[in-house]
């Protein structure tokens, strides 16, 4: 069975999901120093592979709906469509003791919960922050995949900056304005038109 196939409530709130009751984890995950049987290792590896595959699919779903949200920032359906995959990633990461991924997914979930409850305005800066968080999760899951496939280990991803920005956003602080993209600047200056920009992209 798919490890990401965890039943979700129709619209769980971040408060309700802050400390989900996770199933008992395999001994190898619960206690790194414990003896592990070959069967346990195979089972854990299989669960991790499922998480990586489906986690990256969820990130793709998030990215698509972030693009939709950019077009319609007030559309609650798009906010909910981004919230749910973060909730699923958080739940399974918690089950597998992937604390860094669980924490970041939870923080992003909390941010989106505030946005859908209108405690935070859905500004371009907030959308950029959610996209940056999604990109960071994608990189963290990619590192898991590389490690599982025996690729050379890279430096651990530092999540302190994204965590700080999320905390500021939750507190209602003004987020720094994002610089305009080159294509937007060129269109505004009349160097190219919108059709030429889209074709180039």
């Amino acid at each position: 069975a798919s490890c990401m196939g965890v039943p979700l409530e129709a619209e769980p709130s971040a408060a309700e999901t802050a400390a989900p009751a996770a199933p008992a984890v395999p001994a190898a995950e619960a206690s790194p120093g414990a003896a592990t049987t070959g069967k346990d290792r195979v089972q854990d590896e299989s669960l991790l592979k499922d998480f990586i595959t489906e986690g990256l699919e969820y990130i793709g779903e998030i990215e698509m709906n972030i693009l939709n949200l950019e077009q319609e920032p007030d559309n609650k359906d798009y906010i909910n469509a981004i919230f749910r995959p973060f909730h699923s990633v958080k739940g399974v990461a918690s089950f597998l003791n992937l604390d860094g991924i669980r924490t970041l997914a939870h923080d992003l979930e909390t941010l989106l919960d505030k946005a859908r409850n209108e405690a935070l305005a859905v500004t371009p800066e907030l959308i950029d922050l959610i996209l940056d968080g999604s990109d960071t999760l994608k990189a963290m899951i990619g590192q898991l995949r590389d490690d599982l496939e025996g690729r050379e280990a890279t430096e651990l991803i530092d999540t302190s900056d994204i965590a700080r920005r999320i905390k500021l956003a939750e507190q209602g602080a003004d987020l720094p304005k994002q610089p305009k993209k080159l294509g937007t600047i060129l269109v505004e200056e009349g160097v190219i038109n919108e059709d030429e920009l889209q074709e180039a992209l």
Side-chain angles (χ1 to χ4, degrees), residues 21-32 40 43-44 47 91-99:
V25 298
E29 295 288 351
S31 176
D40 287 336
Q43 182 185 35
D44 295 346
L47 289 173
V92 183
S94 178
F95 171 63
L96 294 175
N97 287 337
L98 303 171
D99 291 338

Side-chain angles (χ1 to χ4, degrees), residues 24-181:
V25 298
E29 295 288 351
S31 176
T36 323
T37 67
K39 183 177 178 182
D40 287 336
R41 283 195 297 270
V42 170
Q43 182 185 35
D44 295 346
E45 185 174 302
S46 176
L47 289 173
L48 195 56
K49 281 181 178 177
D50 285 345
F51 171 73
I52 290 166
T53 300
E54 296 181 30
L56 292 174
E57 288 174 0
Y58 274 130
I59 296 297
E61 185 181 329
I62 288 166
E63 290 170 343
M64 179 187 69
N65 281 295
I66 286 174
L67 292 175
N68 291 331
L69 187 63
E70 285 180 328
Q71 303 302 315
E72 298 181 52
D74 297 326
N75 191 320
K76 295 287 182 64
D77 288 340
Y78 293 142
I79 297 174
N80 287 326
I82 298 167
F83 176 95
R84 285 189 291 265
F86 280 134
H87 174 66
S88 295
V89 169
K90 182 198 77 172
V92 183
S94 178
F95 171 63
L96 294 175
N97 287 337
L98 303 171
D99 291 338
I101 292 174
R102 182 203 66 79
T103 299
L104 180 54
H106 170 68
D107 289 348
L108 290 162
E109 178 191 38
T110 301
L111 199 62
L112 284 157
D113 194 46
K114 287 180 179 290
R116 69 181 186 171
N117 291 322
E118 300 182 2
L120 286 176
V122 181
T123 62
E125 291 73 34
L126 184 69
I127 292 172
D128 282 338
L129 175 55
I130 294 166
L131 182 58
D132 286 348
S134 173
D135 286 344
T136 304
L137 278 178
K138 186 176 186 177
M140 294 170 81
I141 295 172
Q143 271 197 344
L144 279 178
R145 180 188 56 200
D146 290 346
D147 182 58
L148 197 63
E149 293 176 356
R151 293 194 182 93
E152 185 176 345
T154 54
E155 291 184 12
L156 287 176
I157 295 168
D158 183 2
T159 59
S160 58
D161 182 62
I162 192 77
R164 179 187 61 80
R165 291 166 59 200
I166 291 171
K167 190 60 64 180
L168 286 172
E170 281 181 23
Q171 295 168 354
D174 290 334
L175 296 171
K177 299 288 183 186
Q178 295 298 311
K180 289 182 181 179
K181 295 177 181 176

